[in-house]
Amino acid sequence: MTEAYIYDAVRTPRGKGRKDGALHEVTAARLSAQVMNALKDRNGLEGHAIEDVIWGNVTQVMEQGGCLARTAVLASDLDESIPGLAINRFCASGMEAVNLAANQVKGGAGEAYIAGGVEMMGRVAMGSDGAAIAVDPSIAMDTYFVPQGISADIIATEYGFTRDQADALAVESQNRAAAAWKDNRFEKSVITVKDQNGLTILDHDEYMRPGTDMQALGALNASFQQMGEVMPGFDAVAKLKYPHLEKINHIHHAGNSSGIVDGSAGVLIGNAEFGKKYGLKPRARIRQTCKIGTDPTIMLTGPVPATQKILADSGMNISDIDLFEVNEAFASVVLRFQQAFDVDPELVNVNGGSIAMGHPLGATGAIIIGTLLDELERTDKEVGLATLCIASGMGAATIIERV
């Protein structure tokens, strides 16, 4: 089978997902177009250089509706002969776009793709598209639906994680992100977002809170306790599914959960012939991809079975992986991953994660693949695994290997 290589990966800085955020004036299509233009310009792409653009975004309504991928292509400098495919696998949409593109290349359906995603959470609110699993009572009751924050607290309760552990992970994420920016570790991938006059709008991750400590986080109220406990609360629903849990331990709050932000990211994927044609050197090959369904109530444990599956599919062991990117949707997600595989925390999210820098839903999967590749190169390591939990109970993972 043809190999699929990563030739380049870029992302925007992440802006605060609210009206006073730096990226609030930019639409999803325009921000995506800046990412696509960066990939085009950095790699000298001309005409129908790529087969397709596969673009993830989660809240597919209003200006993020329709086929946003095609709209973004037309808003960019890419040739209009390049089509676009918009996809939605919730938080793994950006990763799924990359994985789909890689598998298309491996199967011989074109030489190259641009894949990634976007989410402008300050302009198009999360949940504004509705979701049958949440709003259709017959489905919600059958699946014991609870909001994600409750799911994160169920994980903490089921696997014995304390608030201090979650807060310590959050503090470490902030510290690592601040250190990474200070050390210019993102300079290879982060592009500057500019307005129509060429003036800089944002050139750094805006959401970070350097200097966050345990005392500051300890002063925050648990975000999901009221919706869980006030009757008829979601805790009661959870305990119907998990009757052995006498009480849900609500440990998550704004400081140890992922930030609501705006952002976009893209990855240039192609076969060897594409690289030769454009004089490009591959940076890594996409060794394996996977996706899996999991329990929809606890919902966010997907990185564990996804990692088990991708390791089995690739004939690898956890010890064969040099670095890990596990999306910090909530602290308990990462704590559970570390617990399940007994991995060294120093190898997980080396440069911080979504707790510190934010989680632009449709883009994050592509962001963490690019971050993983940059860090493998910086530290001269070979193999990395990126994985995310996914709403409704799914997981996805990607293994990349430097070449």
Side-chain angles (χ1 to χ4, degrees):
M1 183 177 285
T2 302
E3 293 282 9
Y5 298 103
I6 296 177
Y7 285 95
D8 201 5
V10 302
R11 72 170 177 92
T12 69
R14 285 165 273 197
K16 295 176 182 177
R18 57 195 195 198
K19 291 184 178 180
D20 61 349
L23 297 181
H24 186 69
E25 67 184 77
V26 187
T27 66
R30 292 295 180 186
L31 194 68
S32 300
Q34 292 203 29
V35 170
M36 295 174 192
N37 288 343
L39 290 171
K40 174 184 180 294
D41 295 342
R42 284 162 53 129
N43 298 283
L45 305 181
E46 299 177 349
H48 197 92
I50 60 171
E51 187 74 14
D52 201 358
V53 169
I54 305 178
W55 215 241
N57 68 292
V58 174
T59 310
Q60 298 188 352
V61 294
M62 297 180 289
E63 63 193 43
Q64 287 186 174
C67 182
L68 179 60
R70 176 58 175 169
T71 304
V73 169
L74 295 175
S76 77
D77 297 331
L78 294 176
D79 194 273
E80 67 177 14
S81 66
I82 297 169
L85 171 65
I87 65 165
N88 181 0
R89 200 188 290 280
F90 294 123
C91 297
S93 296
M95 174 175 284
E96 187 62 25
V98 172
N99 291 352
L100 279 171
N103 291 324
Q104 290 282 83
V105 170
K106 289 181 179 183
E111 290 188 344
Y113 288 72
I114 287 176
V118 68
E119 206 78 31
M120 301 304 291
M121 301 180 75
R123 294 179 63 92
V124 183
M126 178 172 56
S128 58
D129 55 341
I133 195 170
V135 302
D136 184 331
S138 65
I139 298 174
M141 292 172 67
D142 287 346
T143 58
Y144 298 94
F145 169 80
V146 298
Q148 286 190 28
I150 301 294
S151 298
D153 287 338
I154 296 172
I155 293 173
T157 307
E158 178 74 10
Y159 295 101
F161 304 127
T162 67
R163 172 153 171 170
D164 280 351
Q165 287 177 294
D167 286 356
L169 187 145
V171 169
E172 185 64 15
S173 181
Q174 294 284 354
N175 290 341
R176 291 182 181 187
W181 271 101
K182 183 177 180 180
D183 199 31
N184 294 320
R185 295 183 190 178
F186 300 129
E187 63 180 351
K188 183 181 291 187
S189 298
V190 174
I191 63 172
T192 298
V193 178
K194 298 183 177 181
D195 66 14
Q196 60 187 8
N197 298 312
L199 300 177
T200 295
I201 297 175
L202 188 65
D203 61 4
H204 64 281
D205 287 322
E206 184 183 30
Y207 183 80
M208 295 189 303
R209 297 177 176 88
T212 297
D213 57 25
M214 294 291 287
Q215 289 71 29
L217 296 185
L220 299 177
N221 293 325
S223 296
F224 310 105
Q225 186 168 1
Q226 185 173 9
M227 71 169 66
E229 295 180 351
V230 175
M231 294 299 291
F234 285 105
D235 286 5
V237 176
K239 285 187 281 188
L240 289 173
K241 184 75 169 284
Y242 314 110
H244 62 285
L245 299 180
E246 295 182 4
K247 179 179 173 59
I248 307 299
N249 184 20
H250 293 286
I251 70 167
H252 288 93
H253 51 75
N256 59 26
S257 307
S258 56
I260 293 174
V261 295
D262 303 324
S264 182
V267 181
L268 177 61
I269 300 161
N271 60 19
E273 289 70 25
F274 168 77
K276 292 175 183 177
K277 183 182 296 185
Y278 286 91
L280 302 174
K281 181 180 178 181
R283 296 171 61 187
R285 72 182 177 106
I286 297 181
R287 180 163 176 169
Q288 195 74 40
T289 70
C290 88
K291 60 274 186 184
I292 197 166
T294 65
D295 181 339
T297 305
I298 201 167
M299 194 185 308
L300 307 174
T301 54
V304 173
T307 297
Q308 291 168 336
K309 183 178 189 300
I310 201 169
L311 291 174
D313 290 348
S314 59
M316 301 177 72
N317 298 312
I318 197 73
S319 59
D320 296 323
I321 308 298
D322 297 314
L323 291 173
F324 302 87
E325 284 287 325
V326 183
N327 185 40
E328 294 175 354
F330 299 89
S332 64
V333 174
V334 182
L335 291 170
R336 173 57 188 148
F337 181 90
Q338 294 174 173
Q339 179 192 65
F341 297 104
D342 193 26
V343 296
D344 184 350
E346 294 299 317
L347 302 179
V348 181
N349 302 342
V350 173
N351 295 310
S354 292
I355 289 174
M357 293 175 284
H359 176 21
L361 305 178
T364 302
I367 289 174
I368 65 174
I369 289 173
T371 299
L372 181 61
L373 176 55
D374 285 347
E375 187 62 17
L376 287 171
E377 292 175 339
R378 188 185 74 85
T379 56
D380 196 26
K381 295 181 178 178
E382 299 300 320
V383 181
L385 183 149
T387 184
L388 303 94
C389 60
I390 309 173
S392 298
M394 294 183 282
T398 306
I399 293 176
I400 63 174
E401 182 177 21
R402 288 178 60 205
V403 294

